[in-house]
Amino acid sequence: YNGARAHLPLSYKAHGDITSLEFCGSQREDASMRLWAGTSTGVVSLLSAQRYDFESDGQGRHLEAWQVSLLATAESKAKAPLHSLAATAFAVLPSGHQVLSAGEDGHVWALSIASSSLSATAMGRADGVAVYDIKFANSTGENYITAGAAGGLKLWSLRGGHANGQALCIAPCSNCPWTRVEMVDQHQVLAGNDAGLLALFDMRAPKGALAQYAASSDAYHARPGHAGAITALCRGPGGRQDFLSSAQDGSVMRFDLNQAGSQAFRPVQWFASSQAVNDLAATCLFRGLRHQSEMVVGASDTGLLISGLPPSAPTPYSP
């Protein structure tokens, strides 16, 4: 119980480990939410999370329960899972009407909802090995970006509902594959790679990173950062240039791109967990009785990671 309110999650049993999860638009009129879920076996499904409120035992305790149910599953023409390997990421427009699914098999699929069924259209193979992340590059859904194991960061154009075969390479793969990507604005993109490096690119001039950041253990220039593969990039609550990142080494970093200097930007806050942080699900603002603070919610190997970040802290903060 949390005060007088209890939360009873009713879980959904997936076919394999859940490897990707994304909200589909906003909350619906019936207090339900739709979620896209991908599994380690390549299954892509549309789920419904329905909230129920009721009194528990007449003692004033209010129960809030969420029931997750399956709405539909996308399949290939052979009636097999959409991806032959794990489904790694989704790109969803804010309206929820346009969705792309990417997988470790290197393929991208466009998903559409028709009544109670899903249809999938093959967009082609975006990477020769695996696609780790995918994002729409604009609000119209005309372009999308993939982060691949072999092809690096690529910008694709959708024409007539199909992917254009020619992609613009924003950043090559080099020695470490890019694992996560996030749009900063209509021209700039933030990416993280398998070695913990964060880099800012301009799609109008893909000649190299505008700025980058990496951890250093040098005795004279030591600085905190990620020592493992970047697992998530998301916006923070502080504005358009406020971002958070997480890595497999358990570190979470917050940084402000407005502070980017010559070829480098610095973390505003940094802290470490004792276990890998697999995803950053949300950031929110908590208003207490005496102050307000920011909360980061993430997924670790043993459960949820919830940490408070004082917005005025000038130095790295450890929860």
Side-chain angles (χ1 to χ4, degrees):
Y1 287 98
N2 181 8
R5 180 177 289 270
H7 304 273
L8 304 179
L10 305 179
S11 61
Y12 166 74
K13 187 176 181 181
H15 298 282
D17 297 332
I18 294 180
T19 52
S20 54
L21 193 66
E22 192 71 42
F23 284 104
C24 180
S26 58
Q27 182 171 309
R28 301 167 65 86
E29 293 181 358
D30 59 356
S32 68
M33 292 183 294
R34 287 185 172 182
L35 303 168
W36 289 100
T39 71
S40 56
T41 58
V43 175
V44 172
S45 301
L46 180 63
L47 310 177
S48 174
Q50 177 72 51
R51 187 184 70 191
Y52 297 94
D53 297 310
F54 53 90
E55 296 294 332
S56 61
D57 54 6
Q59 298 182 10
R61 297 191 181 103
H62 186 74
L63 292 178
E64 178 183 282
W66 287 85
Q67 183 177 12
V68 181
S69 58
L70 174 67
L71 292 179
T73 298
E75 296 179 331
S76 65
K77 291 183 179 180
K79 301 299 181 182
L82 204 59
H83 296 282
S84 59
L85 297 173
T88 54
F90 293 101
V92 182
L93 287 183
S95 64
H97 295 138
Q98 195 166 348
V99 182
L100 298 176
S101 173
E104 284 187 349
D105 56 2
H107 287 277
V108 173
W109 293 80
L111 306 173
S112 59
I113 307 172
S115 62
S116 60
S117 63
L118 290 179
S119 62
T121 303
M123 294 289 101
R125 189 159 189 166
D127 194 89
V129 180
V131 177
Y132 294 129
D133 203 4
I134 186 169
K135 290 290 189 301
F136 280 112
N138 48 44
S139 59
T140 62
E142 296 177 353
N143 300 281
Y144 63 92
I145 294 178
T146 57
L153 298 178
K154 289 184 177 181
L155 177 66
W156 300 82
S157 175
L158 283 172
R159 293 181 179 177
H162 296 278
N164 185 2
Q166 298 296 323
L168 173 65
C169 183
I170 302 173
C173 183
S174 64
N175 295 326
C176 294
W178 297 102
T179 56
R180 288 292 177 263
V181 61
E182 184 68 35
M183 294 301 301
V184 177
D185 54 34
Q186 60 180 341
H187 300 303
Q188 293 184 343
V189 58
L190 183 68
N193 73 3
D194 194 60
L197 173 72
L198 295 169
L200 181 67
F201 298 95
D202 191 324
M203 295 184 294
R204 297 167 296 182
K207 297 181 180 180
L210 298 176
Q212 60 185 22
Y213 181 85
S216 173
S217 58
D218 184 275
Y220 297 98
H221 301 92
R223 56 179 181 265
H226 302 304
I230 303 298
T231 57
L233 288 171
C234 71
R235 290 187 181 275
R240 294 178 59 185
Q241 302 293 312
D242 185 27
F243 286 87
L244 292 103
S245 57
S246 64
Q248 286 182 346
D249 66 341
S251 60
V252 176
M253 188 167 67
R254 180 183 181 184
F255 49 94
D256 188 351
L257 295 181
N258 283 322
Q259 297 183 3
S262 57
Q263 300 299 309
F265 50 85
R266 302 290 181 179
V268 178
Q269 293 167 323
W270 175 85
F271 60 89
S273 171
S274 59
Q275 54 195 307
V277 179
N278 304 321
D279 197 4
L280 289 178
T283 59
C284 58
L285 189 66
F286 173 76
R287 293 177 175 84
L289 294 177
R290 297 183 179 178
H291 65 282
Q292 65 181 25
S293 61
E294 294 161 14
M295 307 295 292
V296 178
V297 181
S300 63
D301 287 348
T302 58
L304 288 180
L305 168 71
I306 302 178
S307 175
L309 295 177
S312 60
T315 57
Y317 170 75
S318 179

